[in-house]
Amino acid sequence: MLAALLERALPAESPDTAPQSSAEVSSVFTPAHRTVLEAVREFFSKRPEPVQPIAYTHKVHLANGLQCPFCHVGVDQGPDARIPSVNFCMTCHQAIATDKPEIKKLAAYMARGEDVPWQRVYGFVPSAHVKFNHAPHIRAGVDCVKCHGDMTQRTVAIRTVDHTMGFCVGCHREKNASVDCVTCHY
Amino acid sequence: MERRDFLKISALGGATAALEGCGNPDHQLIRFVPEEDLVPGLATWKPSICTLCPAGCGLIVRVMQGEAEVVRHGQLGLLKMGLAKKLEGNPAHPINQGKLCPRGQGGLQVTYHPDRIKNPLQRTGPRGSGQFQEITWDEALKQLVSQLSPLQANKSGQLAFVTSPLHGLRKNIVGNFTASFKNAQVVEFALFDGGVIRAANSASFGVNAPPTVNLSQSNYVISFGADFLGTWNSPVAQSIGYGQMRQGRPGQRGKFVQVEPRISQTGATADEWIPAQPGTEGIFALSLAHVILREKLRPATAAGHAGSLIEGWSQGLPDYAPEKIETQIGVPAATIARIAREVAGHEPAVALIGDAATAQTNGLFNALAVNALNALLGSVGKPGGIQFGPAWTPQVAKSASSESEKSVAHSVQKLAEQIHSAPDAVKVLLVYNANPVFATPATWQVREAFEKVPFIASFGSFVDETSALADLILPDSSPLESWLDDAPISGSAKTVASLAPPAMNPLHNTRSMPDVLLDVAHQLGGDPAKALPWKTYDEALKAAFAALYKEQGTRSAKDADEFWTKAQDQGGWWSAEEKGIVPSGGKAGGAPAKSAAPEFDGAPGEFSFHFLPFASQLFYDGSLAHLPWMQEAPDPLSTVMWGTWVEINTQTAAKLGIQQGDLLEVASQHGKLQAPALVTPGIAPDVVAMPVGQGHENFTRYASSRGANPISILASMTVGNTSSLAWAATRVKVSPVGRGTMVLFGGSMSEAPPELRHR
């Protein structure tokens, strides 16, 4: 209830009205946050729920036998997993399901020379100072499902697992991994 | 509600929010299809070459995927691409061995500079106004070709190519291109061109190159004005050797004496500072030689040819007895004699000369004297002394560049004179990587001369004082975006052929200068096309490396292709052994050099101070003043940031009633400037000094209208028997005119002007 109340009190700002230029310094709340709202939101570690430009379906792709690292290349090599570019999608979708409306959207991006502006789903706010690295987790045999939920039943990705510190530390304890502060915060 | 949230809410004094999605996308910009697929978050290190000074250090560049705001097809958007994030020294490179100076670190900002020229530009306003409009490459090249093609037919040499001194294959490309126009001229220009030292080494040792100084094995170093740890010659290589000499050998620490009227960054590390009178460095060196000969510490014949170039050498230099010259050079005879004994008693000992000591009217004599001293000490061609590395000369096609060398006008000063005397002398002027309008004395009238040239095309990446005069700007890609090669002539006794492919794709609509020249040559056809048979610069480089492989690489690779690939991987090719050139003794004949007293512009009575501009540790010759990292970094000695200053002796300042931060007017016979005073004991009482680099009229948002340019007020004096500017031969008068602003890192922020204070 409190949440709903405050949402009304502090309406979500439109990005267009936010000052873009550094010349308008007076209207910037702090060097780190453009507005009060942005600061408050970060204080509570709340991120806006992403709205994806294409209604991509994980379910269909996984049902067809694709594995996560097929598209999310690099997950076993370094900190981040790649979000595939439109080029990558179109290697298959030049031929597959070309009549579907969402695939037509995809092809339109390609034709315009644009990449799909996928929105970020997971991640930590900068002030948390968390340095997450995928590769050691994959090496330790942590299943993707553990942190990202069961994607075989999902269309676009949403945050189904809350990546709180408690969540991370719980698993680290379970697996006898280091719970030293500087393992993640540095 | 969680306890944690509750506490946070209390902290906000009851206010709270649970802010759910507003669907606010991270960016409003469109995203372009990436040109390369990189694994995010993983860094790769790619080799490159530092081009910010002539030393030619090897780099490694940390490249990671990032998002850059770029314009493609006329639209602004985001592009995921490999971006250079950090520069370090290449550990395998023989010049800098993994080390890098602050200027080199700052090289990253050349690529990401907000004021980079992003498209070819055509001038719309009057010359120098900086008003340009963007045009396409096709239009730009068409314009250049249409200006050049009439010159192909006539033989009156109406093409001039002004460039920074080039090494490696770029020299061939520019040389071949220019030489394919009859009687056209390449003019190499740099303020600190090292021309005097090259001329002296050519006379003394038969090698037309600056020395390679490996101090790691030296036991005694006496340096006449050379800022060898900061800006002179190959500073990173020299700093590595210097560190070894001082601290790398347990129980053995080499001594270092610096002779200069103002303590430089290098002088500040010396065991002993000797402020000899400006221009008396050669006399000082010969006085040391006199004592060594008199006390029979070395035989006169040890100096060989280099000694025979000095008048009176075989007689033991009787005119240079310390007692006779002590008042002239301002150093007690006893000190001279002591230093002479120390130098002779600590083999290997080496004498260096550079910077202001060679920028006097008698600079060549000074350099010849120091060469003779080195020869006498037996330190030529040996580790711990001065050596000459065999430089790589790219062999591709027939080198028409030798022909172009003949027609070199030698100096921008002469070029300007030519244009002033005959307006038709130059019809098309090409400018690459040089800013002579900024870095020459106003009396040379370079700007006025260039304004008379009907057509100027610049390959500049930034609008500066020279490219502001251009009719056409063909923006060069940044060094990190280009194929690079280099043939350093000093810094290592190995033969070095540096090579690097682009570390990243170009951010903007720019093209590499050699590629543009090759394209233009093909469009012109005829001689230019014959002189430059390659389509792209990397094709030409591959041919040059194939020739190098044939010459010496047979042990390092099984064929030319493997050699080429390996060179790209490690940042070039270098010989396994140090094969220094054995000095042959210069050309015989010619009268021995007589002692030449330095001449100064301005009567000592009225203009009571020697004016000593010096190379800035951060801006070098001013070409790096546009990099904000260089502007905000405090000068190592004075800690001044974002500005310029005049150094004046503490006692002199007290006598004139000048306090730190007072605005001084410095006036020569040819002009005046204003800058705040920095009162320091590290300068002779009759000398004022100023760093070169600031005072740009027009050089990006960071350097424009900031500080003053000491070069502009210099007299048009040249070093005798060379074409180099004698930039330390002007006298000035100094008067306080009020209060100035100077930001010292060491001071308090309350002294800073309001615009520099943090909000």
Side-chain angles (χ1 to χ4, degrees):
Chain A
M1 189 202 75
L2 194 62
L5 223 152
L6 271 145
E7 204 163 349
R8 241 174 296 150
L10 296 167
E13 97 265 47
S14 143
D16 302 329
T17 57
Q20 298 287 332
S21 156
S22 59
E24 301 171 50
V25 278
S26 56
S27 59
V28 172
F29 179 54
T30 70
H33 307 106
R34 286 177 304 174
T35 59
V36 181
L37 189 74
E38 209 176 275
V40 172
R41 195 189 284 143
E42 189 180 318
F43 189 72
F44 288 102
S45 308
K46 298 290 186 225
R47 286 154 49 90
E49 198 58 54
V51 178
Q52 301 297 355
I54 292 178
Y56 172 82
T57 157
H58 281 89
K59 186 177 173 178
V60 170
H61 288 82
L62 291 168
N64 280 328
L66 293 182
Q67 297 292 309
C68 307
F70 183 81
C71 297
H72 299 296
V73 180
V75 69
D76 51 350
Q77 293 171 45
D80 300 336
R82 187 195 291 161
I83 307 292
S85 71
V86 65
N87 270 336
F88 189 86
C89 303
M90 287 301 285
T91 45
C92 297
H93 282 294
Q94 241 161 4
I96 299 173
T98 49
D99 55 335
K100 300 268 174 66
E102 295 302 306
I103 303 303
K104 280 183 180 159
K105 272 196 216 170
L106 184 74
Y109 275 113
M110 184 72 178
R112 289 201 301 272
E114 283 180 34
D115 203 4
V116 183
W118 298 115
Q119 298 298 306
R120 205 183 163 110
V121 177
Y122 288 103
F124 300 97
V125 293
S127 56
H129 296 289
V130 175
K131 294 267 167 61
F132 181 78
N133 190 342
H134 271 100
H137 294 85
I138 302 291
R139 277 202 299 275
V142 180
D143 208 10
C144 303
V145 176
K146 179 98 185 170
C147 305
H148 293 289
D150 182 8
M151 298 308 290
T152 59
Q153 301 309 317
R154 293 228 65 86
T155 54
V156 295
I158 56 164
R159 278 192 295 275
T160 46
V161 180
D162 217 2
H163 294 169
T164 61
M165 197 166 109
F167 173 77
C168 295
V169 171
C171 192
H172 270 230
R173 288 224 169 95
E174 209 174 281
K175 298 214 164 220
N176 252 342
S178 167
V179 288
D180 226 33
C181 303
V182 292
T183 305
C184 309
H185 302 279
Y186 56 96
Chain B
M1 186 187 301
E2 286 178 26
R3 183 181 125 83
R4 193 186 175 82
D5 271 356
F6 178 77
L7 290 174
K8 284 183 171 181
I9 290 161
S10 312
L12 280 178
T16 184
L19 300 150
E20 287 305 323
C22 64
N24 174 13
D26 288 338
H27 288 282
Q28 296 300 299
L29 293 172
I30 62 154
R31 297 183 191 175
F32 298 116
V33 178
E35 292 152 9
E36 46 194 342
D37 270 332
L38 298 164
V39 178
L42 282 190
T44 47
W45 290 88
K46 298 186 177 181
S48 190
I49 302 165
C50 185
T51 59
L52 303 187
C53 92
C57 293
L59 297 178
I60 47 173
V61 188
R62 186 171 194 247
V63 180
M64 274 181 92
Q65 190 196 65
E67 276 193 337
E69 246 182 61
V70 295
V71 175
R72 295 286 185 270
H73 325 293
Q75 195 179 10
L76 181 70
L78 291 171
L79 180 61
K80 261 188 200 159
M81 60 187 290
L83 295 172
K85 301 268 180 174
K86 181 79 174 76
L87 306 182
E88 296 288 359
N90 182 349
H93 203 277
I95 302 277
N96 56 322
Q97 301 161 42
K99 311 291 189 286
L100 196 62
C101 79
R103 296 186 298 277
Q105 296 276 358
L108 202 56
Q109 289 197 317
V110 174
T111 301
Y112 300 113
H113 202 292
D115 293 340
R116 254 184 88 183
I117 300 172
K118 300 179 173 76
N119 288 289
L121 298 179
Q122 182 182 26
R123 184 168 60 85
T124 50
R127 277 206 163 148
S129 66
Q131 288 167 21
F132 293 94
Q133 76 177 34
E134 293 184 350
I135 55 173
T136 64
W137 272 101
D138 285 348
E139 286 173 66
L141 294 180
K142 211 169 117 192
Q143 278 194 32
L144 183 59
V145 168
S146 71
Q147 292 288 338
L148 285 171
S149 56
L151 303 190
Q152 264 182 298
N154 71 31
K155 299 188 175 181
S156 49
Q158 288 166 324
L159 170 68
F161 203 130
V162 176
T163 153
S164 60
L166 298 171
H167 309 294
L169 194 60
R170 273 178 173 73
K171 190 183 180 80
N172 292 45
I173 299 277
V174 167
N176 281 15
F177 180 82
T178 315
S180 65
F181 296 84
K182 301 284 178 302
N183 299 319
Q185 49 187 331
V186 177
V187 182
E188 293 196 342
F189 171 77
L191 177 60
F192 305 119
D193 63 355
V196 177
I197 290 174
R198 284 205 310 274
N201 288 346
S202 176
S204 300
F205 309 125
V207 188
N208 183 21
T212 291
V213 190
N214 182 358
L215 299 176
S216 63
Q217 296 177 48
S218 309
N219 281 324
Y220 201 99
V221 178
I222 180 164
S223 155
F224 297 91
D227 177 22
F228 63 85
L229 301 178
T231 51
W232 179 74
N233 201 11
S234 196
V236 177
Q238 285 146 199
S239 298
I240 296 169
Y242 180 76
Q244 284 285 321
M245 170 183 109
R246 303 284 262 182
Q247 296 178 336
R249 301 172 296 183
Q252 192 182 1
R253 178 181 162 95
K255 184 173 176 178
F256 167 39
V257 177
Q258 180 84 348
V259 182
E260 58 187 2
R262 169 206 168 254
I263 288 189
S264 61
Q265 190 200 0
T266 304
T269 72
D271 295 302
E272 207 170 332
W273 170 49
I274 301 178
Q277 279 294 307
T280 62
E281 293 84 358
I283 299 171
F284 193 144
L286 293 179
S287 186
L288 297 175
H290 168 90
V291 176
I292 292 170
L293 294 173
R294 187 175 69 190
E295 301 189 357
K296 300 203 166 25
L297 302 172
R298 297 280 193 289
T301 49
H305 178 74
S308 72
L309 293 177
I310 307 292
E311 197 181 49
W313 186 271
S314 48
Q315 291 86 43
L317 301 166
D319 295 343
Y320 298 96
E323 300 74 26
K324 285 187 192 164
I325 50 105
E326 60 178 342
T327 45
Q328 190 189 352
I329 66 176
V331 181
T335 307
I336 300 173
R338 173 175 57 81
I339 302 261
R341 286 176 206 125
E342 284 178 7
V343 173
H346 291 85
E347 238 176 326
V350 65
L352 304 175
I353 183 163
D355 292 325
T358 54
Q360 303 288 354
T361 54
N362 65 344
L364 189 60
F365 166 76
N366 292 340
L368 289 172
V370 169
N371 279 351
L373 176 63
N374 269 324
L376 178 67
L377 293 168
S379 56
V380 180
K382 286 186 193 143
I386 57 171
Q387 292 173 287
F388 297 98
W392 170 54
T393 320
Q395 301 292 332
V396 280
K398 263 181 290 169
S399 176
S401 59
S402 59
E403 221 172 282
S404 74
E405 300 235 328
K406 274 182 220 154
S407 59
V408 160
H410 295 301
S411 81
V412 164
Q413 186 187 15
K414 286 201 182 115
L415 178 69
E417 277 170 17
Q418 272 180 27
I419 297 169
H420 279 300
S421 61
D424 245 14
V426 174
K427 281 202 169 149
V428 176
L429 179 67
L430 303 177
V431 185
Y432 173 62
N433 208 13
N435 188 359
V437 173
F438 171 78
T440 53
T443 49
W444 282 13
Q445 301 212 315
V446 173
R447 180 196 302 270
E448 292 78 0
F450 283 10
E451 276 170 355
K452 286 185 185 171
V453 176
F455 185 81
I456 302 176
S458 164
F459 295 98
S461 294
F462 298 93
V463 175
D464 60 19
E465 288 82 353
T466 305
S467 58
L469 302 178
D471 300 276
L472 189 65
I473 300 182
L474 306 151
D476 194 15
S477 292
S478 86
L480 296 177
E481 300 164 344
S482 312
W483 277 91
L484 296 174
D485 64 304
D486 201 0
I489 41 175
S490 67
S492 171
K494 293 178 178 177
T495 306
V496 180
S498 305
L499 174 73
M504 57 185 276
N505 289 340
L507 284 173
H508 309 298
N509 188 17
T510 57
R511 291 186 191 178
S512 173
M513 182 279 290
D515 282 333
V516 174
L517 279 193
L518 294 178
D519 198 346
V520 170
H522 287 144
Q523 293 194 27
L524 283 166
D527 286 347
K530 261 183 255 161
L532 302 169
W534 311 278
K535 281 203 183 67
T536 57
Y537 188 54
D538 54 305
E539 201 179 286
L541 271 174
K542 195 173 176 184
F545 269 74
L548 178 64
Y549 171 74
K550 234 188 229 169
E551 226 174 278
Q552 27 203 357
T554 40
R555 265 180 303 162
S556 54
K558 69 175 194 298
D559 58 23
D561 279 344
E562 191 189 306
F563 183 71
W564 166 245
T565 319
K566 269 176 117 175
Q568 286 182 59
D569 283 348
Q570 65 168 5
W573 171 89
W574 28 87
S575 58
E577 310 91 35
E578 302 197 342
K579 269 193 203 155
I581 298 174
V582 180
S584 59
K587 283 170 277 175
K594 284 188 190 136
S595 169
E599 288 165 33
F600 296 97
D601 177 89
E606 188 187 356
F607 298 92
S608 49
F609 292 94
H610 291 282
F611 185 53
L612 181 70
F614 59 90
S616 160
Q617 167 69 18
L618 297 163
F619 309 133
Y620 190 54
D621 56 1
S623 53
L624 305 178
H626 61 317
L627 305 181
W629 282 347
M630 299 295 102
Q631 288 279 358
E632 73 179 8
D635 174 77
L637 283 185
S638 67
T639 80
V640 176
M641 311 153 73
W642 291 100
T644 188
W645 67 93
V646 182
E647 288 182 22
I648 187 163
N649 179 276
T650 315
Q651 288 173 15
T652 313
K655 227 181 280 173
L656 297 175
I658 293 168
Q659 295 194 340
Q660 175 102 323
D662 279 355
L663 193 63
L664 301 185
E665 184 176 273
V666 180
S668 74
Q669 294 197 81
H670 311 281
K672 57 189 175 188
L673 56 82
Q674 293 187 342
L678 185 97
V679 178
T680 165
I683 188 166
D686 58 346
V687 177
V688 291
M690 252 186 98
V692 175
Q694 299 279 27
H696 282 276
E697 280 165 44
N698 194 349
F699 193 29
T700 79
R701 66 186 73 180
Y702 301 110
S704 298
S705 315
R706 185 180 295 288
N709 176 13
I711 304 301
S712 64
I713 65 164
L714 294 183
S716 173
M717 310 272 276
T718 46
V719 180
N721 296 324
T722 74
S723 60
S724 296
L725 173 68
W727 46 262
T730 305
R731 298 185 66 103
V732 294
K733 54 184 171 186
V734 169
S735 49
V737 290
R739 205 54 209 158
T741 41
M742 183 165 64
V743 185
L744 297 184
F745 185 69
S748 76
M749 280 313 280
S750 62
E751 293 164 21
E755 70 269 21
L756 292 179
R757 277 182 221 153
H758 198 267
R759 279 186 300 116

